[in-house]
Amino acid sequence: MQLQSFCILMIMIVGIYYRKVRTLHFKIMSAAMIWDVLLILQIELSRSAIMKASNAVNNRLALNIHVSIAVTTVLLYGMMIYTGRKLLKGQEVKKKHRVLGYTTFLMRVLTFATSFLAVAPKG
């Protein structure tokens, strides 16, 4: 699943590269976000991740940090979609969308980095 996560990051980098070509940027970033949400569903179905994550008191710190960053990333996706749609309609939210975009990308990189710690064996 780390391979899929890495591929999502690479797609996001391509999307950022094409940020000035709005239609292409929109399609690439939409694909990355959809794949990321599908990856979360895949992890849930294969590992019962929500049940494990909801037991935060007994989890390792690394897992709790990873889950917090991952949830924040998904919430930021919602904000990106909201501001992106406004931008496509011609409303002036470009600066906000850019700041949110780089914040979202940073959180996605941190999600990827912490995923290695979250799945590491205890001990």
Side-chain angles (χ1 to χ4, degrees), residues 86-105:
K86 283 187 167 214
L87 197 57
L88 288 172
K89 290 179 183 176
Q91 296 178 14
E92 189 51 47
V93 291
K94 190 174 189 174
K95 187 173 181 177
K96 181 186 280 190
H97 186 74
R98 183 184 314 125
V99 170
L100 281 170
Y102 285 117
T103 303
T104 303
F105 180 71

PDB file of all heavy atoms in Angstrom, residues 86-105:
ATOM      1  N   LYS A  86     -14.632  27.155  -6.994  1.00  0.00           N
ATOM      2  CA  LYS A  86     -14.806  28.609  -7.053  1.00  0.00           C
ATOM      3  C   LYS A  86     -13.850  29.225  -8.078  1.00  0.00           C
ATOM      4  O   LYS A  86     -14.227  30.123  -8.828  1.00  0.00           O
ATOM      5  CB  LYS A  86     -14.563  29.238  -5.679  1.00  0.00           C
ATOM      6  CG  LYS A  86     -15.702  29.077  -4.725  1.00  0.00           C
ATOM      7  CD  LYS A  86     -15.458  29.868  -3.459  1.00  0.00           C
ATOM      8  CE  LYS A  86     -16.744  29.928  -2.684  1.00  0.00           C
ATOM      9  NZ  LYS A  86     -16.910  31.177  -1.971  1.00  0.00           N
ATOM     10  N   LEU A  87     -12.637  28.724  -8.079  1.00  0.00           N
ATOM     11  CA  LEU A  87     -11.624  29.223  -9.015  1.00  0.00           C
ATOM     12  C   LEU A  87     -12.036  28.944 -10.463  1.00  0.00           C
ATOM     13  O   LEU A  87     -11.903  29.810 -11.332  1.00  0.00           O
ATOM     14  CB  LEU A  87     -10.281  28.573  -8.698  1.00  0.00           C
ATOM     15  CG  LEU A  87      -9.027  29.205  -9.247  1.00  0.00           C
ATOM     16  CD1 LEU A  87      -8.895  30.646  -8.799  1.00  0.00           C
ATOM     17  CD2 LEU A  87      -7.811  28.412  -8.781  1.00  0.00           C
ATOM     18  N   LEU A  88     -12.553  27.762 -10.711  1.00  0.00           N
ATOM     19  CA  LEU A  88     -13.007  27.408 -12.063  1.00  0.00           C
ATOM     20  C   LEU A  88     -14.193  28.262 -12.504  1.00  0.00           C
ATOM     21  O   LEU A  88     -14.391  28.488 -13.701  1.00  0.00           O
ATOM     22  CB  LEU A  88     -13.361  25.923 -12.141  1.00  0.00           C
ATOM     23  CG  LEU A  88     -12.183  24.944 -12.104  1.00  0.00           C
ATOM     24  CD1 LEU A  88     -12.671  23.507 -11.994  1.00  0.00           C
ATOM     25  CD2 LEU A  88     -11.294  25.117 -13.336  1.00  0.00           C
ATOM     26  N   LYS A  89     -14.985  28.740 -11.538  1.00  0.00           N
ATOM     27  CA  LYS A  89     -16.117  29.613 -11.855  1.00  0.00           C
ATOM     28  C   LYS A  89     -15.692  31.063 -12.033  1.00  0.00           C
ATOM     29  O   LYS A  89     -16.516  31.916 -12.327  1.00  0.00           O
ATOM     30  CB  LYS A  89     -17.174  29.535 -10.742  1.00  0.00           C
ATOM     31  CG  LYS A  89     -17.908  28.220 -10.690  1.00  0.00           C
ATOM     32  CD  LYS A  89     -18.905  28.215  -9.552  1.00  0.00           C
ATOM     33  CE  LYS A  89     -19.606  26.874  -9.442  1.00  0.00           C
ATOM     34  NZ  LYS A  89     -20.515  26.825  -8.280  1.00  0.00           N
ATOM     35  N   GLY A  90     -14.397  31.332 -11.811  1.00  0.00           N
ATOM     36  CA  GLY A  90     -13.898  32.682 -12.031  1.00  0.00           C
ATOM     37  C   GLY A  90     -13.819  33.546 -10.786  1.00  0.00           C
ATOM     38  O   GLY A  90     -13.474  34.721 -10.869  1.00  0.00           O
ATOM     39  N   GLN A  91     -14.143  32.987  -9.632  1.00  0.00           N
ATOM     40  CA  GLN A  91     -14.044  33.759  -8.395  1.00  0.00           C
ATOM     41  C   GLN A  91     -12.579  33.866  -7.980  1.00  0.00           C
ATOM     42  O   GLN A  91     -11.780  32.977  -8.247  1.00  0.00           O
ATOM     43  CB  GLN A  91     -14.875  33.105  -7.295  1.00  0.00           C
ATOM     44  CG  GLN A  91     -16.354  33.089  -7.621  1.00  0.00           C
ATOM     45  CD  GLN A  91     -17.178  32.403  -6.552  1.00  0.00           C
ATOM     46  OE1 GLN A  91     -16.706  32.153  -5.460  1.00  0.00           O
ATOM     47  NE2 GLN A  91     -18.425  32.086  -6.877  1.00  0.00           N
ATOM     48  N   GLU A  92     -12.249  34.953  -7.335  1.00  0.00           N
ATOM     49  CA  GLU A  92     -10.850  35.215  -6.983  1.00  0.00           C
ATOM     50  C   GLU A  92     -10.504  34.581  -5.630  1.00  0.00           C
ATOM     51  O   GLU A  92     -10.623  35.207  -4.579  1.00  0.00           O
ATOM     52  CB  GLU A  92     -10.580  36.728  -6.940  1.00  0.00           C
ATOM     53  CG  GLU A  92      -9.123  37.081  -6.803  1.00  0.00           C
ATOM     54  CD  GLU A  92      -8.208  36.390  -7.807  1.00  0.00           C
ATOM     55  OE1 GLU A  92      -8.522  36.374  -9.004  1.00  0.00           O
ATOM     56  OE2 GLU A  92      -7.175  35.853  -7.390  1.00  0.00           O
ATOM     57  N   VAL A  93     -10.094  33.317  -5.691  1.00  0.00           N
ATOM     58  CA  VAL A  93      -9.645  32.592  -4.489  1.00  0.00           C
ATOM     59  C   VAL A  93      -8.296  31.915  -4.770  1.00  0.00           C
ATOM     60  O   VAL A  93      -7.927  30.968  -4.085  1.00  0.00           O
ATOM     61  CB  VAL A  93     -10.687  31.535  -4.035  1.00  0.00           C
ATOM     62  CG1 VAL A  93     -11.948  32.187  -3.498  1.00  0.00           C
ATOM     63  CG2 VAL A  93     -11.015  30.571  -5.161  1.00  0.00           C
ATOM     64  N   LYS A  94      -7.591  32.437  -5.750  1.00  0.00           N
ATOM     65  CA  LYS A  94      -6.352  31.797  -6.201  1.00  0.00           C
ATOM     66  C   LYS A  94      -5.310  31.687  -5.088  1.00  0.00           C
ATOM     67  O   LYS A  94      -4.696  30.633  -4.900  1.00  0.00           O
ATOM     68  CB  LYS A  94      -5.768  32.562  -7.393  1.00  0.00           C
ATOM     69  CG  LYS A  94      -4.631  31.865  -8.075  1.00  0.00           C
ATOM     70  CD  LYS A  94      -4.228  32.621  -9.329  1.00  0.00           C
ATOM     71  CE  LYS A  94      -3.246  31.800 -10.132  1.00  0.00           C
ATOM     72  NZ  LYS A  94      -2.964  32.452 -11.414  1.00  0.00           N
ATOM     73  N   LYS A  95      -5.114  32.768  -4.338  1.00  0.00           N
ATOM     74  CA  LYS A  95      -4.108  32.759  -3.275  1.00  0.00           C
ATOM     75  C   LYS A  95      -4.483  31.752  -2.190  1.00  0.00           C
ATOM     76  O   LYS A  95      -3.642  30.979  -1.733  1.00  0.00           O
ATOM     77  CB  LYS A  95      -3.946  34.156  -2.682  1.00  0.00           C
ATOM     78  CG  LYS A  95      -2.816  34.252  -1.700  1.00  0.00           C
ATOM     79  CD  LYS A  95      -2.576  35.674  -1.249  1.00  0.00           C
ATOM     80  CE  LYS A  95      -1.403  35.701  -0.285  1.00  0.00           C
ATOM     81  NZ  LYS A  95      -1.076  37.057   0.126  1.00  0.00           N
ATOM     82  N   LYS A  96      -5.746  31.742  -1.801  1.00  0.00           N
ATOM     83  CA  LYS A  96      -6.214  30.802  -0.780  1.00  0.00           C
ATOM     84  C   LYS A  96      -6.052  29.358  -1.272  1.00  0.00           C
ATOM     85  O   LYS A  96      -5.597  28.484  -0.546  1.00  0.00           O
ATOM     86  CB  LYS A  96      -7.674  31.074  -0.424  1.00  0.00           C
ATOM     87  CG  LYS A  96      -8.222  30.145   0.661  1.00  0.00           C
ATOM     88  CD  LYS A  96      -9.706  30.356   0.891  1.00  0.00           C
ATOM     89  CE  LYS A  96      -9.887  31.560   1.765  1.00  0.00           C
ATOM     90  NZ  LYS A  96     -11.296  31.708   2.229  1.00  0.00           N
ATOM     91  N   HIS A  97      -6.412  29.127  -2.538  1.00  0.00           N
ATOM     92  CA  HIS A  97      -6.311  27.787  -3.115  1.00  0.00           C
ATOM     93  C   HIS A  97      -4.850  27.331  -3.157  1.00  0.00           C
ATOM     94  O   HIS A  97      -4.549  26.174  -2.864  1.00  0.00           O
ATOM     95  CB  HIS A  97      -6.916  27.781  -4.524  1.00  0.00           C
ATOM     96  CG  HIS A  97      -6.994  26.426  -5.147  1.00  0.00           C
ATOM     97  ND1 HIS A  97      -7.920  25.492  -4.764  1.00  0.00           N
ATOM     98  CD2 HIS A  97      -6.258  25.852  -6.138  1.00  0.00           C
ATOM     99  CE1 HIS A  97      -7.753  24.390  -5.489  1.00  0.00           C
ATOM    100  NE2 HIS A  97      -6.745  24.578  -6.327  1.00  0.00           N
ATOM    101  N   ARG A  98      -3.949  28.256  -3.499  1.00  0.00           N
ATOM    102  CA  ARG A  98      -2.524  27.918  -3.564  1.00  0.00           C
ATOM    103  C   ARG A  98      -1.988  27.547  -2.174  1.00  0.00           C
ATOM    104  O   ARG A  98      -1.307  26.534  -2.029  1.00  0.00           O
ATOM    105  CB  ARG A  98      -1.722  29.080  -4.142  1.00  0.00           C
ATOM    106  CG  ARG A  98      -0.244  28.729  -4.303  1.00  0.00           C
ATOM    107  CD  ARG A  98       0.618  29.874  -4.794  1.00  0.00           C
ATOM    108  NE  ARG A  98       0.050  30.581  -5.915  1.00  0.00           N
ATOM    109  CZ  ARG A  98      -0.168  31.898  -5.930  1.00  0.00           C
ATOM    110  NH1 ARG A  98       0.139  32.645  -4.900  1.00  0.00           N
ATOM    111  NH2 ARG A  98      -0.682  32.473  -6.992  1.00  0.00           N
ATOM    112  N   VAL A  99      -2.293  28.368  -1.187  1.00  0.00           N
ATOM    113  CA  VAL A  99      -1.817  28.080   0.185  1.00  0.00           C
ATOM    114  C   VAL A  99      -2.396  26.762   0.682  1.00  0.00           C
ATOM    115  O   VAL A  99      -1.675  25.926   1.241  1.00  0.00           O
ATOM    116  CB  VAL A  99      -2.168  29.250   1.130  1.00  0.00           C
ATOM    117  CG1 VAL A  99      -1.911  28.876   2.585  1.00  0.00           C
ATOM    118  CG2 VAL A  99      -1.385  30.501   0.758  1.00  0.00           C
ATOM    119  N   LEU A 100      -3.686  26.558   0.470  1.00  0.00           N
ATOM    120  CA  LEU A 100      -4.310  25.286   0.855  1.00  0.00           C
ATOM    121  C   LEU A 100      -3.696  24.120   0.094  1.00  0.00           C
ATOM    122  O   LEU A 100      -3.508  23.034   0.654  1.00  0.00           O
ATOM    123  CB  LEU A 100      -5.819  25.327   0.595  1.00  0.00           C
ATOM    124  CG  LEU A 100      -6.680  26.059   1.605  1.00  0.00           C
ATOM    125  CD1 LEU A 100      -8.098  26.200   1.073  1.00  0.00           C
ATOM    126  CD2 LEU A 100      -6.680  25.343   2.941  1.00  0.00           C
ATOM    127  N   GLY A 101      -3.377  24.343  -1.168  1.00  0.00           N
ATOM    128  CA  GLY A 101      -2.801  23.288  -2.001  1.00  0.00           C
ATOM    129  C   GLY A 101      -1.452  22.826  -1.478  1.00  0.00           C
ATOM    130  O   GLY A 101      -1.201  21.628  -1.340  1.00  0.00           O
ATOM    131  N   TYR A 102      -0.582  23.777  -1.195  1.00  0.00           N
ATOM    132  CA  TYR A 102       0.734  23.401  -0.689  1.00  0.00           C
ATOM    133  C   TYR A 102       0.646  22.802   0.710  1.00  0.00           C
ATOM    134  O   TYR A 102       1.394  21.875   1.044  1.00  0.00           O
ATOM    135  CB  TYR A 102       1.699  24.585  -0.746  1.00  0.00           C
ATOM    136  CG  TYR A 102       2.171  24.854  -2.152  1.00  0.00           C
ATOM    137  CD1 TYR A 102       1.884  26.062  -2.792  1.00  0.00           C
ATOM    138  CD2 TYR A 102       2.868  23.899  -2.870  1.00  0.00           C
ATOM    139  CE1 TYR A 102       2.304  26.301  -4.091  1.00  0.00           C
ATOM    140  CE2 TYR A 102       3.286  24.121  -4.170  1.00  0.00           C
ATOM    141  CZ  TYR A 102       3.006  25.328  -4.771  1.00  0.00           C
ATOM    142  OH  TYR A 102       3.414  25.547  -6.056  1.00  0.00           O
ATOM    143  N   THR A 103      -0.294  23.286   1.514  1.00  0.00           N
ATOM    144  CA  THR A 103      -0.509  22.695   2.837  1.00  0.00           C
ATOM    145  C   THR A 103      -1.008  21.260   2.702  1.00  0.00           C
ATOM    146  O   THR A 103      -0.535  20.359   3.395  1.00  0.00           O
ATOM    147  CB  THR A 103      -1.515  23.540   3.643  1.00  0.00           C
ATOM    148  OG1 THR A 103      -1.037  24.882   3.728  1.00  0.00           O
ATOM    149  CG2 THR A 103      -1.720  22.971   5.034  1.00  0.00           C
ATOM    150  N   THR A 104      -1.945  21.060   1.783  1.00  0.00           N
ATOM    151  CA  THR A 104      -2.475  19.715   1.550  1.00  0.00           C
ATOM    152  C   THR A 104      -1.372  18.781   1.067  1.00  0.00           C
ATOM    153  O   THR A 104      -1.266  17.641   1.534  1.00  0.00           O
ATOM    154  CB  THR A 104      -3.624  19.771   0.517  1.00  0.00           C
ATOM    155  OG1 THR A 104      -4.630  20.659   0.997  1.00  0.00           O
ATOM    156  CG2 THR A 104      -4.220  18.384   0.280  1.00  0.00           C
ATOM    157  N   PHE A 105      -0.544  19.251   0.144  1.00  0.00           N
ATOM    158  CA  PHE A 105       0.540  18.417  -0.359  1.00  0.00           C
ATOM    159  C   PHE A 105       1.524  18.072   0.759  1.00  0.00           C
ATOM    160  O   PHE A 105       1.955  16.920   0.881  1.00  0.00           O
ATOM    161  CB  PHE A 105       1.267  19.113  -1.519  1.00  0.00           C
ATOM    162  CG  PHE A 105       2.386  18.290  -2.078  1.00  0.00           C
ATOM    163  CD1 PHE A 105       2.115  17.142  -2.816  1.00  0.00           C
ATOM    164  CD2 PHE A 105       3.709  18.638  -1.851  1.00  0.00           C
ATOM    165  CE1 PHE A 105       3.150  16.362  -3.328  1.00  0.00           C
ATOM    166  CE2 PHE A 105       4.747  17.870  -2.359  1.00  0.00           C
ATOM    167  CZ  PHE A 105       4.464  16.726  -3.093  1.00  0.00           C
TER     168      PHE A 105
END
